[in-house]
mmCIF file of all heavy atoms in Angstrom:
data_model
loop_
_atom_site.group_PDB
_atom_site.id
_atom_site.type_symbol
_atom_site.label_atom_id
_atom_site.label_comp_id
_atom_site.label_asym_id
_atom_site.label_seq_id
_atom_site.Cartn_x
_atom_site.Cartn_y
_atom_site.Cartn_z
ATOM 1 N N ALA A 2 25.119 -24.463 -31.311
ATOM 2 C CA ALA A 2 26.020 -24.043 -32.400
ATOM 3 C C ALA A 2 26.105 -22.568 -32.519
ATOM 4 O O ALA A 2 27.198 -22.023 -32.777
ATOM 5 C CB ALA A 2 25.505 -24.649 -33.709
ATOM 6 N N ALA A 3 24.996 -21.841 -32.429
ATOM 7 C CA ALA A 3 25.033 -20.387 -32.618
ATOM 8 C C ALA A 3 23.906 -19.793 -31.809
ATOM 9 O O ALA A 3 22.748 -20.196 -31.836
ATOM 10 C CB ALA A 3 24.824 -20.084 -34.102
ATOM 11 N N ILE A 242 29.056 -17.661 -32.147
ATOM 12 C CA ILE A 242 29.190 -19.039 -32.638
ATOM 13 C C ILE A 242 30.201 -19.788 -31.751
ATOM 14 O O ILE A 242 31.312 -19.319 -31.492
ATOM 15 C CB ILE A 242 29.674 -19.036 -34.091
ATOM 16 C CG1 ILE A 242 28.709 -18.264 -34.939
ATOM 17 C CG2 ILE A 242 29.820 -20.489 -34.614
ATOM 18 C CD1 ILE A 242 29.245 -17.928 -36.340
ATOM 19 N N SER A 243 29.824 -20.979 -31.229
ATOM 20 C CA SER A 243 30.686 -21.758 -30.362
ATOM 21 C C SER A 243 30.879 -23.209 -30.803
ATOM 22 O O SER A 243 31.722 -23.900 -30.230
ATOM 23 C CB SER A 243 30.141 -21.697 -28.910
ATOM 24 O OG SER A 243 28.788 -22.201 -28.892
ATOM 25 N N ASP A 244 30.105 -23.674 -31.756
ATOM 26 C CA ASP A 244 30.196 -25.054 -32.230
ATOM 27 C C ASP A 244 31.569 -25.290 -32.830
ATOM 28 O O ASP A 244 32.020 -24.474 -33.694
ATOM 29 C CB ASP A 244 29.078 -25.334 -33.250
ATOM 30 C CG ASP A 244 29.164 -26.787 -33.730
ATOM 31 O OD1 ASP A 244 28.672 -27.665 -33.014
ATOM 32 O OD2 ASP A 244 29.689 -26.985 -34.829
ATOM 33 N N ARG A 245 32.212 -26.355 -32.498
ATOM 34 C CA ARG A 245 33.622 -26.590 -32.939
ATOM 35 C C ARG A 245 33.692 -26.792 -34.466
ATOM 36 O O ARG A 245 34.666 -26.341 -35.066
ATOM 37 C CB ARG A 245 34.192 -27.843 -32.229
ATOM 38 C CG ARG A 245 34.452 -27.598 -30.715
ATOM 39 C CD ARG A 245 35.093 -28.841 -30.071
ATOM 40 N NE ARG A 245 35.353 -28.615 -28.687
ATOM 41 C CZ ARG A 245 35.948 -29.486 -27.911
ATOM 42 N NH1 ARG A 245 36.329 -30.673 -28.413
ATOM 43 N NH2 ARG A 245 36.154 -29.247 -26.637
ATOM 44 N N LYS A 246 32.711 -27.406 -35.050
ATOM 45 C CA LYS A 246 32.762 -27.621 -36.496
ATOM 46 C C LYS A 246 32.632 -26.293 -37.199
ATOM 47 O O LYS A 246 33.348 -26.008 -38.194
ATOM 48 C CB LYS A 246 31.630 -28.589 -36.944
ATOM 49 C CG LYS A 246 31.849 -30.020 -36.515
ATOM 50 C CD LYS A 246 30.685 -30.906 -36.994
ATOM 51 C CE LYS A 246 30.544 -30.920 -38.526
ATOM 52 N NZ LYS A 246 29.511 -31.840 -39.006
ATOM 53 N N ASP A 247 31.713 -25.424 -36.741
ATOM 54 C CA ASP A 247 31.545 -24.100 -37.340
ATOM 55 C C ASP A 247 32.845 -23.266 -37.186
ATOM 56 O O ASP A 247 33.243 -22.596 -38.076
ATOM 57 C CB ASP A 247 30.343 -23.393 -36.751
ATOM 58 C CG ASP A 247 29.029 -24.059 -37.099
ATOM 59 O OD1 ASP A 247 28.951 -24.746 -38.116
ATOM 60 O OD2 ASP A 247 28.076 -23.847 -36.328
ATOM 61 N N ILE A 248 33.402 -23.366 -35.963
ATOM 62 C CA ILE A 248 34.641 -22.601 -35.672
ATOM 63 C C ILE A 248 35.755 -23.102 -36.624
ATOM 64 O O ILE A 248 36.511 -22.280 -37.159
ATOM 65 C CB ILE A 248 35.038 -22.821 -34.197
ATOM 66 C CG1 ILE A 248 34.037 -22.212 -33.257
ATOM 67 C CG2 ILE A 248 36.458 -22.217 -33.978
ATOM 68 C CD1 ILE A 248 33.993 -20.693 -33.273
ATOM 69 N N SER A 249 35.838 -24.362 -36.847
ATOM 70 C CA SER A 249 36.881 -24.933 -37.727
ATOM 71 C C SER A 249 36.763 -24.374 -39.138
ATOM 72 O O SER A 249 37.756 -23.982 -39.759
ATOM 73 C CB SER A 249 36.769 -26.458 -37.761
ATOM 74 O OG SER A 249 37.728 -27.017 -38.675
ATOM 75 N N VAL A 250 35.540 -24.250 -39.606
ATOM 76 C CA VAL A 250 35.311 -23.716 -40.995
ATOM 77 C C VAL A 250 35.753 -22.261 -41.030
ATOM 78 O O VAL A 250 36.469 -21.853 -41.987
ATOM 79 C CB VAL A 250 33.810 -23.859 -41.350
ATOM 80 C CG1 VAL A 250 33.536 -23.027 -42.632
ATOM 81 C CG2 VAL A 250 33.430 -25.287 -41.559
ATOM 82 N N LEU A 251 35.407 -21.494 -40.021
ATOM 83 C CA LEU A 251 35.753 -20.084 -40.011
ATOM 84 C C LEU A 251 37.297 -19.890 -39.843
ATOM 85 O O LEU A 251 37.870 -18.954 -40.380
ATOM 86 C CB LEU A 251 35.020 -19.344 -38.904
ATOM 87 C CG LEU A 251 33.480 -19.355 -39.121
ATOM 88 C CD1 LEU A 251 32.784 -18.710 -37.933
ATOM 89 C CD2 LEU A 251 33.112 -18.627 -40.423
ATOM 90 N N GLN A 252 37.929 -20.754 -39.084
ATOM 91 C CA GLN A 252 39.396 -20.673 -38.912
ATOM 92 C C GLN A 252 40.090 -20.982 -40.252
ATOM 93 O O GLN A 252 41.077 -20.346 -40.577
ATOM 94 C CB GLN A 252 39.863 -21.677 -37.874
ATOM 95 C CG GLN A 252 39.517 -21.259 -36.443
ATOM 96 C CD GLN A 252 39.907 -22.267 -35.395
ATOM 97 O OE1 GLN A 252 39.798 -23.487 -35.633
ATOM 98 N NE2 GLN A 252 40.402 -21.803 -34.256
#
Side-chain angles (χ1 to χ4, degrees):
I242 302 167
S243 57
D244 182 79
R245 290 184 179 181
K246 288 180 63 176
D247 293 337
I248 295 291
S249 177
V250 169
L251 297 176
Q252 286 175 324

